[in-house]
Amino acid sequence: MILGVALDTAAGGQGPAPVLVAAGESGPIWPVPRAVARTAARVCVALDLTGAPVAPVAAIRVGGPCPEALRPVADPGVATIVRGGHGLTGRRLAPLDTEAVRRFAAGCGLLDFAVTATGSPVLPEHELEVAAIIMAEVPQARITLSYEFGHPGLREREAEAVRNAALSAEAARIADDVARELPGVPAYFARTDGGLVSASYFRRFPLACDLGATASRERGRAELGPGVSDGVAAAYGAALGRPVALVERIVQARGRAELERVLQDARDEALTRVVSAGAAPGSAEIAETTVNPLSYLPDGLYRVRVTADGRLWPG
């Protein structure tokens, strides 16, 4: 039995009771008693994080000076700019100001960090260095790195990193609640694009599940037809999902052979990610690869997007 659960995250999780739907060979079954739910092979959770409580974020931008209107924003939270970063061709713009990073991390008093460096979709070196410094100063820190979102635009990438960091504490609370309510049942969370990710992946990238209930509800209604509640449709839709992972990168390649090498690196990373998202290793495969040249930037720069999926572990 696969259990689908629709959760309401409004008001800090104090909304209506969860909707539990079992997906069996004979179709959906609801309501499902809690004792029966605890015997499920796995639980697939659908939730929307819109309106969920957010934590204050310590936002660090690695780059040069900018006008006040373009400074990083963390609301709630604090933000700073430190020297460093790279151009989109990978050229280092300035050495990383490691001491400024250390002072900010040690003095901000926060646990959720969002790090954004110029040029990081091509070369994430400075974001990774900042993360290492933060962990040395704040061992309990939860850190989001913007390069993992892949957008070429710094402010778009930074906004997503800050939003992901702001949701990290709530994602941890939700994952803990599910584990406590259904002990021993492997948990997966519905993605905005309709796939699933493991609980550990959800803790790290809650933004991937920002509209998981909305996506699951559409899938559930397509399977069940009209006449069921939103909660039932979302829970059932989540139970039908598969693990999915996405890698987006800006890559530099001079010639077809080099492009194929960097594409293979992106595919390998996507396959690794989908296994961490809960796919059985032998089932992981590339579902889609798109490559778009960035014509408004120097020649040889491409935006790469690779999607991998797979089957859930047998349960």
Side-chain angles (χ1 to χ4, degrees):
M1 177 182 68
I2 302 173
L3 183 70
V5 179
L7 297 179
D8 183 353
T9 62
Q14 302 303 311
V19 177
L20 279 63
V21 177
E25 294 182 0
S26 58
I29 304 166
W30 74 89
V32 180
R34 191 64 54 89
V36 175
R38 290 179 174 180
T39 68
R42 64 184 68 96
V43 55
C44 302
V45 182
L47 55 94
D48 285 345
L49 293 170
T50 305
V54 294
V57 172
I60 300 175
R61 181 190 295 174
V62 182
C66 69
E68 189 64 29
L70 298 180
R71 289 182 64 83
V73 176
D75 185 17
V78 293
T80 190
I81 299 175
V82 302
R83 188 178 70 252
H86 295 81
L88 280 180
T89 60
R91 181 177 64 88
R92 190 174 72 168
L93 301 178
L96 176 64
D97 189 343
T98 56
E99 187 54 37
V101 174
R102 187 171 290 107
R103 287 196 306 269
F104 180 78
C108 69
L110 300 177
L111 294 179
D112 294 292
F113 289 79
V115 182
T116 306
T118 57
S120 64
V122 174
L123 187 63
E125 173 186 331
H126 280 178
E127 289 192 6
L128 294 169
E129 286 187 39
V130 170
I133 294 169
I134 293 170
M135 289 305 299
E137 297 295 328
V138 189
Q140 302 84 16
R142 292 177 289 259
I143 304 171
T144 297
L145 303 181
S146 82
Y147 86 93
E148 295 180 294
F149 295 92
H151 300 295
L154 181 143
R155 286 176 64 79
E156 180 184 19
R157 199 169 70 251
E158 184 173 64
E160 290 204 347
V162 170
R163 169 73 173 159
N164 189 80
L167 290 169
S168 293
E170 179 68 359
R173 183 195 67 78
I174 292 168
D176 287 344
D177 283 353
V178 171
R180 184 169 51 252
E181 288 295 318
L182 300 169
V185 181
Y188 298 86
F189 292 80
R191 291 177 58 110
T192 298
D193 58 17
L196 293 173
V197 295
S198 63
S200 60
Y201 195 101
F202 171 66
R203 289 173 184 269
R204 186 176 175 192
F205 298 110
L207 190 62
C209 303
D210 201 15
L211 296 175
T214 298
S216 298
R217 184 164 58 247
E218 293 174 1
R219 170 181 280 162
R221 287 202 181 282
E223 292 289 332
L224 297 173
V228 297
S229 71
D230 287 349
V232 169
Y236 187 63
L240 301 178
R242 288 164 56 93
V244 171
L246 173 67
V247 169
E248 291 187 79
R249 292 286 182 270
I250 306 300
V251 301
Q252 187 172 28
R254 297 175 179 86
R256 187 66 192 177
E258 188 174 358
L259 180 59
E260 283 300 324
R261 285 196 297 273
V262 296
L263 281 176
Q264 189 56 52
D265 289 342
R267 293 186 185 108
D268 291 344
E269 183 177 351
L271 292 171
T272 299
R273 275 202 185 194
V274 80
V275 171
S276 73
S283 73
E285 59 185 6
I286 301 300
E288 184 179 18
T289 301
T290 60
V291 181
N292 294 308
L294 298 180
S295 56
Y296 57 92
L297 291 171
D299 288 344
L301 286 175
Y302 301 85
R303 185 174 183 178
V304 172
R305 179 184 172 101
V306 180
T307 303
D309 62 16
R311 296 189 308 274
L312 290 166
W313 286 87

